[in-house]
Amino acid sequence: MARYKFSFEATMDPRKGIPYVARLVVRDGKLEREFYNLKREYGKKSITVWGEFTAEDGDVIEMREGASWKNDYRYWYLVYKGKLYLLADVNSSKRKRYVIDYLSGELTMEEMLDALGVKVEEEKEEGKVVSKTVAQ
């Protein structure tokens, strides 16, 4: 399996949570997060989390990019050929169900992508650094 390096940076109000990147896995029928150890810098009313993380083709990554008092901006991405493909956001229970079925081994990657209507670019592997930066 190919491994790729990605960059992440997000800033938010720490009273509303802390940004993070985690690899999603299913163990004993339960969804779990394996958090990446990223750098943190606290300000008076903000926290910035940044750094690089590595992931393999087929990994599902959750990124918490921000939050407000009413919303949590977390997204699930598939790593495929050096790119991140958006699969679901935290509020989409139907889309998340397909991803959990994939992580549980009940669906293949192709079946999950088809069910979600996600089109992957059929190019050669890139293997370059892909950046995902969201600042608030």
Side-chain angles (χ1 to χ4, degrees):
M1 286 268 185
R3 294 187 62 79
Y4 303 98
K5 190 176 284 191
F6 299 92
S7 296
F8 176 83
E9 182 177 336
T11 301
M12 61 189 283
D13 184 333
R15 296 173 298 169
K16 299 170 189 156
I18 296 175
Y20 65 80
V21 178
R23 181 175 169 260
L24 298 177
V25 295
V26 172
R27 287 194 190 96
D28 300 323
K30 292 185 178 184
L31 184 68
E32 295 183 7
R33 290 167 180 82
E34 296 175 345
F35 293 93
Y36 289 95
N37 188 18
L38 301 175
K39 298 173 188 167
R40 295 180 180 188
E41 182 64 39
Y42 289 86
K44 189 172 183 177
K45 294 186 179 182
S46 66
I47 179 173
T48 298
V49 176
W50 78 97
E52 292 183 337
F53 64 96
T54 58
E56 295 181 354
D57 277 336
D59 283 351
V60 176
I61 303 296
E62 179 177 82
M63 292 185 187
R64 183 169 200 221
E65 301 170 356
S68 67
W69 293 115
K70 294 183 180 182
N71 297 306
D72 194 5
Y73 302 106
R74 288 185 288 147
Y75 304 95
W76 291 3
Y77 296 92
L78 173 71
V79 176
Y80 185 68
K81 293 190 177 183
K83 295 183 181 183
L84 295 172
Y85 290 92
L86 180 62
L87 300 175
D89 67 45
V90 73
N91 297 314
S92 178
S93 62
K94 185 176 182 180
R95 294 182 70 84
K96 289 178 2 183
R97 176 179 66 95
Y98 289 112
V99 179
I100 292 169
D101 285 349
Y102 162 69
L103 292 172
S104 300
E106 297 172 27
L107 289 177
T108 66
M109 182 189 311
E110 293 75 21
E111 290 169 332
M112 174 191 62
L113 293 172
D114 188 48
L116 295 174
V118 176
K119 303 289 184 226
V120 296
E121 297 174 19
E122 292 300 326
E123 299 176 358
K124 62 182 178 187
E125 283 191 12
E126 291 187 357
K128 64 181 182 179
V129 175
V130 178
S131 296
K132 178 67 179 167
T133 304
V134 175
Q136 290 191 331

